[in-house]
Amino acid sequence: MARRLRFNGTGSGDNGCPSVHEDTDSGEVIVHGPPLTDTDDVAQLQHLSEGEVAVVVPRELLADWGPRDADRKARIIDLDEFGELFRTFRHSTWRLETRRRYASDETTETYRQFVETGAAEWDPDREYPEMIRTQTAQGKRVERVRIVDQPPTVGQLYLLDNAKHNSTFGEDIRNLSREEADRLQLPAEDFWLFDGRLVALLRFDDDDQLVDVELITEPAEVVRYSRIREAAWHYAVPHEEFAAGLDKGE
């Protein structure tokens, strides 16, 4: 069975060599770079077994992209503390939504309305809209990219309808096809990035229920999530344009 490898980073541009990857299951680190070929250099290496290859990498590569604290325990917060992040961020928060279904949506009256009629009546005075309206009025940015399958799931169509409502109180919501997300090698992780310094990783169970939220502040990991944001945001399109394309069967 193939490893599940995650690209951490490179010291020589997006497609360059050398680079660091992590095995997301075992935690093992894979480093690749130019091989050490000079026979006099190779002769100085200790414990180089048959079949092993030595590679040369800049020290900065490991300092910048090597994982830290292999035994780091996840910092889990409850939903109240998670909600507080939306009141205390300083300039921007950004989300990648990757799932085909969010079970919590399906318990709402708006979801029932959407399934029955194709549209929902949104209450503009709920707590979340009012909180985001307050933040965006101060010039802060609240942005999302939602990945959509072809054809979209009911839940994804519901969120596309929801985007019209969220945009009225300041959110900038864009969409990206699953095919394009796969081309960009975006991960399946669903997360918020606050102020470019803190990641709130949303963790779901097999029934698509939000279980808890993990806070990530390790610099190399935050940079990795920031790179995901840059790629997704660059290629995503405004929700109105994306919806129009679906209506035309594009």
Side-chain angles (χ1 to χ4, degrees):
M1 183 176 180
R3 291 175 181 262
R4 295 193 301 167
L5 298 183
R6 181 179 69 201
F7 175 65
N8 276 15
T10 177
S12 54
D14 278 346
N15 299 312
C17 173
S19 300
V20 174
H21 291 74
E22 268 187 85
D23 185 316
T24 58
D25 296 313
S26 69
E28 293 174 305
V29 179
I30 294 88
V31 179
H32 66 79
L36 184 70
T37 56
D38 185 281
T39 54
D40 291 335
D41 293 339
V42 173
Q44 299 178 60
L45 299 178
Q46 300 183 37
H47 308 294
L48 185 68
S49 301
E50 183 178 354
E52 291 183 340
V53 177
V55 298
V56 181
V57 299
R59 179 179 293 271
E60 292 81 2
L61 179 77
L62 301 181
D64 292 342
W65 301 110
R68 296 155 177 78
D69 300 328
D71 298 326
R72 177 182 62 85
K73 293 183 179 179
R75 179 185 170 190
I76 306 301
I77 61 174
D78 60 30
L79 296 186
D80 287 339
E81 188 174 353
F82 173 55
E84 192 62 23
L85 294 175
F86 293 90
R87 296 181 175 86
T88 57
F89 75 93
R90 302 180 67 178
H91 54 77
S92 68
T93 183
W94 185 94
R95 182 176 180 183
L96 180 66
E97 296 186 14
T98 62
R99 304 184 67 81
R100 294 174 171 86
R101 170 179 179 258
Y102 294 90
S104 59
D105 287 342
E106 298 173 8
T107 65
T108 63
E109 174 61 19
T110 50
Y111 188 89
R112 183 194 64 78
Q113 292 175 6
F114 180 80
V115 170
E116 293 180 357
T117 69
E121 296 182 8
W122 302 94
D123 179 4
D125 297 323
R126 290 179 297 116
E127 180 181 4
Y128 179 78
E130 183 56 36
M131 176 175 60
I132 299 303
R133 191 180 295 115
T134 299
Q135 297 287 45
T136 56
Q138 300 174 50
K140 300 179 185 180
R141 303 195 316 275
V142 181
E143 302 164 336
R144 303 181 194 235
V145 169
R146 288 171 168 157
I147 295 176
V148 181
D149 290 274
Q150 187 59 265
T153 66
V154 174
Q156 289 167 349
L157 290 173
Y158 168 76
L159 290 175
L160 197 56
D161 183 69
N162 165 275
K164 295 182 293 185
H165 165 65
N166 282 30
S167 296
T168 64
F169 51 83
E171 287 200 25
D172 187 347
I173 301 178
R174 305 184 186 185
N175 290 86
L176 194 65
S177 70
R178 181 78 63 182
E179 180 181 12
E180 183 75 344
D182 290 343
R183 184 186 71 79
L184 296 171
Q185 297 183 317
L186 299 185
E189 294 160 291
D190 200 296
F191 66 91
W192 284 94
L193 176 63
F194 292 90
D195 293 327
R197 66 175 185 82
L198 183 153
V199 175
L201 180 64
L202 278 58
R203 309 201 305 186
F204 296 82
D205 62 19
D206 293 338
D207 196 35
D208 300 305
Q209 298 280 359
L210 178 61
V211 176
D212 55 36
V213 177
E214 178 184 353
L215 284 190
I216 299 173
T217 57
E218 181 183 338
E221 278 292 272
V222 172
V223 169
R224 182 176 72 85
Y225 284 104
S226 296
R227 289 163 59 91
I228 293 168
R229 175 191 59 189
E230 293 304 311
W233 194 246
H234 178 75
Y235 288 97
V237 300
H239 67 89
E240 305 97 331
E241 179 182 338
F242 193 88
L246 292 179
D247 291 340
K248 295 176 182 178
E250 297 177 357

